[in-house]
Amino acid sequence: MKLELHGLSVRYGRGRNLMTAVDGIDLAVPAGATVGLVGESGCGKSTVARAVVGLVPTSGGRILLDGVDVTANRVRNRPEFRRRVQMVFQDPYASLNPRMSIQAILKEAAARADGSRPRRAPAEMAELVGLPATVLGRYPHQLSGGQRQRIAIARALAVNPGVIVLDEVTSALDVSVQGSVLNLLRDLQREMNVSYVFISHDLSTVRYMSDTVSVMYLGRIVETARTEDLFARPQHPYTTGLIDSVPRLHAPRTTAPLAGDLPDPRRPPTGCRLSPRCPVGPLHRPDREICHTTDPQSIAAQKVHEAACHFAVDAAHAVVPAP
Ligand code: ADP
Ligand code: MG
């Protein structure tokens, strides 16, 4: 299924604590494709995920599924919506009922599937995610982290969804099993023609999984591009900074590193939100007053990669090609 977000906003809190965690983002996930969402912890990625699946109300913008507006919370609470869009979390232990056997967990998920497609038996689902039928009699705590995450994926797929939101699904796993879970997800996508929103703070996994990548900073998407283009020719200084922070990914550094930490999202900087930290902004180039005064978000669509930066070309530099 095709998923589109148009100007999606989500707010938390009220009064002095009012915070716009997601501030008018656009995202388009074509049917059967993977769109990656990457950015530092706290930039709003999980909030996007929760809004898409209806766990938090939206405060602006629209969510479309195959062109149909599903923005209203009451729509996303309906069983037929819940079926179409599934989510897998970082910690499957928290989302799998500890008192249910794996068999019962998968059976319950299959019972929620759309009646028009054949229901898959628990043993078939286990096999699909590369686990032996012997896991069916076990309980979540009797499985390894990697096995639990495979069950969480099987449970999501058992419902026959059109879209799965994957939020940091390998972040809690040992590095040695991360790759096999990522490969499993890629194989399953080909087999089931399901669309993924692949969320991670880790650039390498996002690069491996995604057709297109959107980079998020303080509730906004600052750059969107085809994965190869984003890594070969990043346009936004924040993207450059993120890539530079992963030694394996970058050529010798050509710009200064990002300064400091994420600002308080309740009081985002004026002008460009990255300006206090930016490697090509007023911190290093005092003449670039515009970065303090003018929000570049509106010019993003005019740039090749949709980079929300007044000086995007300066930020671009060559990056080591993919291995
Ligand atoms: P990420 O997934 O990118 O780490 P989150 O979406 O979890 O980011 O959080 C974005 C911002 O929203 C953070 O500043 C976080 O502290 C805040 N936040 C998240 N959930 C809530 C909530 N339920 N109430 C208030 N603030 C929240
Ligand atoms: Mg998160």
Side-chain angles (χ1 to χ4, degrees):
M1 284 187 130
K2 179 171 156 194
L3 171 73
E4 291 164 85
L5 310 181
H6 294 288
L8 186 76
S9 295
V10 179
R11 296 199 190 102
Y12 292 122
R14 48 180 61 210
R16 274 184 60 79
N17 286 320
L18 178 74
M19 200 235 319
T20 304
V22 175
D23 190 9
I25 70 159
D26 296 330
L27 203 69
V29 188
T34 299
V35 169
L37 198 55
V38 71
E40 284 164 293
S41 175
C43 70
K45 305 181 297 297
S46 293
T47 301
V48 174
R50 290 195 285 264
V52 167
V53 299
L55 293 174
V56 295
T58 61
S59 59
R62 294 190 309 146
I63 302 171
L64 306 185
L65 207 52
D66 274 349
V68 177
D69 195 321
V70 295
T71 316
N73 252 337
R74 65 185 153 66
V75 176
R76 278 171 297 141
N77 280 323
R78 284 186 198 140
E80 61 275 20
F81 176 85
R82 296 240 171 233
R83 195 152 61 213
R84 289 190 197 113
V85 183
Q86 290 286 305
M87 181 158 168
V88 180
F89 300 88
Q90 172 168 353
D91 179 10
Y93 203 43
S95 62
L96 298 176
N97 185 337
R99 282 181 297 277
M100 281 168 78
S101 69
I102 303 306
Q103 163 115 6
I105 288 169
L106 295 179
K107 210 167 168 180
E108 187 198 60
R112 284 186 286 132
D114 177 350
S116 66
R117 293 216 232 165
R119 284 188 185 157
R120 291 170 184 259
E124 195 189 339
M125 290 312 301
E127 193 190 338
L128 192 67
V129 296
L131 293 176
T134 51
V135 299
L136 295 174
R138 303 209 190 126
Y139 287 79
H141 74 271
Q142 295 173 307
L143 303 184
S144 70
Q147 288 174 325
R148 273 200 293 272
Q149 198 57 294
R150 284 169 188 263
I151 293 300
I153 292 164
R155 183 182 61 170
L157 284 168
V159 190
N160 271 330
V163 179
I164 306 183
V165 181
L166 302 158
D167 188 6
E168 305 275 5
V169 287
T170 57
S171 304
L173 301 179
D174 287 342
V175 177
S176 57
V177 297
Q178 282 180 6
S180 64
V181 171
L182 296 177
N183 286 334
L184 170 70
L185 285 167
R186 282 169 57 137
D187 293 346
L188 290 170
Q189 180 172 55
R190 230 167 291 137
E191 208 167 313
M192 320 279 275
N193 194 38
V194 63
S195 313
Y196 291 154
V197 179
F198 187 87
I199 298 176
S200 178
H201 69 282
D202 182 64
L203 273 175
S204 308
T205 55
V206 167
R207 181 187 204 179
Y208 184 63
M209 293 298 289
S210 311
D211 300 300
T212 302
V213 177
S214 285
V215 180
M216 233 181 137
Y217 184 72
L218 272 187
R220 302 264 185 89
I221 286 174
V222 296
E223 180 165 7
T224 295
R226 301 272 320 159
T227 306
E228 319 79 82
D229 291 343
L230 188 94
F231 285 90
R233 288 172 295 279
Q235 301 278 298
H236 196 283
Y238 182 64
T239 312
T240 313
L242 277 187
I243 292 173
D244 277 349
S245 69
V246 184
R248 279 180 296 128
L249 288 180
H250 79 101
R253 184 182 283 287
T254 53
T255 58
L258 290 167
D261 299 318
L262 210 60
D264 181 351
R266 289 168 302 178
R267 281 157 204 78
T270 56
C272 175
R273 290 176 173 208
L274 188 65
S275 57
R277 303 179 66 192
C278 183
V280 301
L283 199 60
H284 301 276
R285 298 280 302 267
D287 57 308
R288 295 185 164 175
E289 188 56 27
I290 187 174
C291 302
H292 283 315
T293 58
T294 308
D295 188 340
Q297 195 68 22
S298 60
I299 64 163
Q302 298 160 23
K303 303 268 180 176
V304 192
H305 287 205
E306 301 197 15
C309 170
H310 294 294
F311 301 99
V313 178
D314 284 22
H317 71 282
V319 173
V320 176

